[in-house]
Structure formats: structure tokens, C-alpha cells
Amino acid sequence: MYEPDQANFLRRRDARLASTTPQPQLPDDFSSRLCSSCACKTASLGEGHRVTLSQIHLEEIHRACLKYRDSGARLNAICKETFPLPLLQEYLIEKRLEIHKGCGLVVFWGINLLRYSCRENIIIFAGLSSHLSEKRGRQTRTKYLIHLKDLARKRGEIYSSPYCSDALASPFHTDYGDVVAMFVLKSASKGGTGIFAPVSAVYNRIASTYPDLLPILCKPNWPFYNRPPNNNVYHERPVMYTDSGEPEMIFSRGSLMDSPRSKRPPGTTALSDIQAEALDAVHFAAMNAVLKLNYETGDMIYFNNRKILHGRESFDDGGDTNEGRHILRLWLQDCKMAGPPPRSLNVYWEHTFSAGDEAEEEVQWPLEPEP
């Protein structure tokens, strides 16, 4: 069942525990509880964590943007050397540490979007991001930049979740990469609140309530169908990783089962009953630790994709079908701060962050939303 239902979850769990089937046991090397800075701090962030850039910093960003624009260089060439921010640099180093060693989420605010063209806003977004990471990744075969916008309503077609207004709160998920960056060009008329849950808090909750499901999440036999390596129909790997000392997760429910918008190919291995139970447990544990963030126009959001699950509540743009909610997204890699990904994720990172096919700038960095 794609949408998690707590009553069904508890009913199935009670039936399994009452059966004579041998139950999975928590391995000796699993900690029963974590005391994680990410779990503790993210839960208490609230709206007060939004950081307002000072006027001095905004003017430095402005000068860097105009200099890069006037150079005529391609957007792919933006890096911290070509988009220098000497006054802001130390502050950005501090925030980069916060993303990886602190609460895992940072929100900048203060950029006047109306001061810039669409391309100039993209220059600013990529420029700041280059000081908070090492590489940008391709989110499709060619695109480095994705526009998150409701295209389904305007065009009357069925699109994947980045291009519709339906809730992404159920289920929680991750993207690919060490950090996800989002730049809110326009907030929704109503709704669209972002939701976040630290993986360590999810681990803590499952360890205290459903400890038998932790080893299930860490087994390398989950049948993923999403950007599979080596052209396989699907491939197997864990949902949760504990090798780094603090748990990490890379998954989406839609890559593990049929969703309302996409079906897995015939013959793709289905989840076992206990895997479906464990996946539901992740959702309910995340809801227990959820942080809600109201996206405001001008927000630039960075969060640790390996240590924080995310989603989004549904939104409504009213009669505004042309403008509407509009967010830019980048996937970022930061080997220095995040370390290498778990071994079974290497193929994802290589695919996402290796040099891609040469393409026109308007293909790699589209100025308008497209599915």
C-alpha cells in the first residue's frame, strides 16, 4: 500500500508477532539508541533558524553576480574562484559545518529576487552553493538545475511529484547527493510547507518501539527500481546504512513500490511483508520527529540529504496557474565534509556527479520549468 496507514501497519505487525514465524533479532553491534546532534538540534530549529543576510553581504553577492554575468562565462563554470565572496566566506564555512556536523539544515534569506533576471538568480544560487559544497550533480541525463513547479494543473497531465501540487509528506524520502539546495523564487499561495526528519531520530524511534525492524532496513536485499546501475531492471541495496557511526538513508517509496503516478515494470521483485512493515515504520517514526518549515519567497535552503528525510505538504496556487509556487533545486556533493557515500551508493554518486555529456546551457540550466 503506497500511502502508509497506521491502523493497517499495527494490525499486520500484531499478526506477525503473534505467529510462530521466527522473528528477526537486533544484532549485537546495533546501538539501542543514539544521542545525535543532528537529531537533537533539527527537532528544535523552528522558523527562528532562518538567517537574514546582511546588507554588506548582499552587496557583495550583487557585485559577484554582475561580474560573472558580464564575463559571458557558462553557468557550468561557476565555482568559488569565479564567484568570490571574501567578506562572506568565513560565515559560509561556518554554515557548511552546520550542514554536516550540526543540525543539518540552513536557510538564508534576504536576496531581492526582483532585482535580478531569472539567469542572474540562477548565477547567485549556483555561486553561493559553490561555497557550501564541492560539486553540482546532474538530476537528469543533462540537467543540473531543476524547477519545482506545478505543471500538472496547467497542462492537465499526470507528472511526477516535482511537477504537481500533491503532498509529498507521505511518504518521506531523500534525493541523491550529500546536500540538497533549494531557492524559493515564489512561495505557494496556500500550503506547500516543507517537512524534515533527522535519520538519527528515525533510528532512535524505531530502536525504542520496533527494534526488530532495524536489521531489516539495513539488509542489502531491498529491490530498488530507480536509476539502476548496469541497465538492470532493478538492483538490491539497503535502505539504511550505519557504517559511518551515525545512520544514513537514501531511498524513496516510489522506487520500491508502485505509486499513483508510476508503476514498476512487470517482473520487478516486490517488497516482502516484513520489508513493507519496516518501510511503514520509517514513515511513522519520521512523523514523530517532524520539523515543518514554511517556505518563503527568497529563501535559500540547504540540508543534509544523507541524514535528513524530507517531504512537502500539498499546496494551492488558487487561480495563479502561470506564476505559482516556483523553486529551483540543485544536488550537491561535498566529499570533504560528508565523506564518501556507502559503497553500494557509489554507482549513484558516480552517475550523478561525474562529467556529463556536453550540452547547450539552456538544456543543462533551463530558465523555464519543464518535466
Side-chain angles (χ1 to χ4, degrees):
M1 188 173 180
Y2 188 75
E3 294 293 336
D5 181 281
Q6 192 158 27
N8 286 339
F9 165 73
L10 293 174
R11 190 160 45 247
R12 293 197 316 269
R13 179 168 175 78
D14 289 344
R16 180 177 63 80
L17 293 176
S19 71
T20 57
T21 304
Q23 308 299 328
Q25 299 297 313
L26 191 67
D28 293 337
D29 58 350
F30 269 71
S31 170
S32 61
R33 184 170 177 81
L34 296 176
C35 182
S36 164
S37 60
C38 187
C40 295
K41 292 181 181 178
T42 303
S44 61
L45 275 176
E47 290 297 313
H49 192 69
R50 183 177 281 107
V51 176
T52 302
L53 295 167
S54 71
Q55 192 59 40
I56 292 175
H57 292 155
L58 290 172
E59 284 304 312
E60 182 177 52
I61 292 169
H62 177 70
R63 291 192 299 271
C65 173
L66 296 188
K67 183 177 180 180
Y68 195 86
R69 179 200 67 186
D70 294 343
S71 73
R74 285 171 56 107
L75 292 174
N76 270 349
I78 294 177
C79 62
K80 62 182 180 180
E81 288 75 29
T82 61
F83 196 91
L85 298 170
L87 298 178
L88 193 52
Q89 183 173 331
E90 290 301 317
Y91 184 67
L92 292 177
I93 290 173
E94 176 187 326
K95 294 306 175 184
R96 185 176 170 188
L97 281 168
E98 186 74 12
I99 293 168
H100 295 280
K101 308 301 180 183
C103 70
L105 185 151
V106 173
V107 183
F108 298 104
W109 184 86
I111 295 170
N112 181 1
L113 302 176
L114 298 179
R115 191 179 186 183
Y116 304 103
S117 68
C118 181
R119 189 172 188 274
E120 288 165 353
N121 278 317
I122 292 172
I123 289 173
I124 290 171
F125 184 32
L128 274 174
S129 298
S130 68
H131 288 266
L132 291 161
S133 63
E134 296 171 347
K135 286 185 177 181
R136 296 179 292 269
R138 288 174 290 118
Q139 300 177 64
T140 69
R141 188 178 64 83
T142 55
K143 291 185 179 67
Y144 287 89
L145 181 77
I146 293 292
H147 295 254
L148 307 180
K149 193 172 177 66
D150 182 10
L151 300 180
R153 181 179 171 196
K154 180 179 179 181
R155 303 183 185 181
E157 299 178 25
I158 296 176
Y159 287 111
S160 59
S161 45
Y163 309 111
C164 69
S165 61
D166 294 348
L168 299 182
S170 173
F172 287 86
H173 65 283
T174 68
D175 293 349
Y176 288 99
D178 301 325
V179 175
V180 171
M182 298 189 293
F183 190 14
V184 183
L185 300 185
K186 186 173 182 181
S187 58
S189 299
K190 182 180 179 181
T193 300
I195 61 170
F196 300 88
V199 171
S200 47
V202 171
Y203 181 104
N204 287 348
R205 180 70 175 177
I206 295 177
S208 64
T209 54
Y210 319 117
D212 55 309
L213 297 179
L214 282 176
I216 301 301
L217 291 167
C218 296
K219 284 187 176 182
N221 64 342
W222 288 76
F224 283 85
Y225 182 78
N226 191 12
R227 300 160 67 102
N230 305 322
N231 296 317
N232 292 330
V233 173
Y234 73 94
H235 64 288
E236 296 182 340
R237 64 171 179 84
V239 165
M240 179 181 286
Y241 302 85
T242 59
D243 297 343
S244 65
E246 190 168 292
E248 299 179 353
M249 299 180 78
I250 296 290
F251 81 104
S252 70
R253 199 175 183 93
S255 62
L256 288 166
M257 61 173 61
D258 290 346
S259 78
R261 293 184 189 84
S262 63
K263 304 295 182 183
R264 286 153 59 92
T268 305
T269 300
L271 294 181
S272 66
D273 289 344
I274 198 167
Q275 284 177 327
E277 181 184 327
L279 200 59
D280 281 355
V282 168
H283 174 79
F284 299 123
M287 288 301 295
N288 184 72
V290 71
L291 158 75
K292 293 190 175 184
L293 182 67
N294 292 318
Y295 295 154
E296 302 291 345
T297 299
D299 280 352
M300 200 175 289
I301 304 147
Y302 296 85
F303 63 90
N304 191 316
N305 183 60
R306 288 160 60 176
K307 295 182 179 178
I308 296 180
L309 308 182
H310 69 280
R312 172 192 33 84
E313 295 180 350
S314 63
F315 64 91
D316 184 0
D317 284 321
D320 191 359
T321 57
N322 291 319
E323 299 301 324
R325 180 184 186 269
H326 190 178
I327 297 178
L328 304 179
R329 186 181 71 188
L330 293 172
W331 287 351
L332 308 174
Q333 182 181 29
D334 196 340
C335 292
K336 181 178 180 181
M337 297 301 301
R343 185 174 300 177
S344 62
L345 294 175
N346 281 340
V347 66
Y348 292 89
W349 264 239
E350 290 170 3
H351 177 88
T352 302
F353 297 102
S354 61
D357 298 334
E358 191 64 22
E360 297 297 325
E361 180 175 290
E362 58 267 25
V363 174
Q364 295 183 332
W365 296 83
L367 299 183
E368 297 294 334
E370 54 186 37

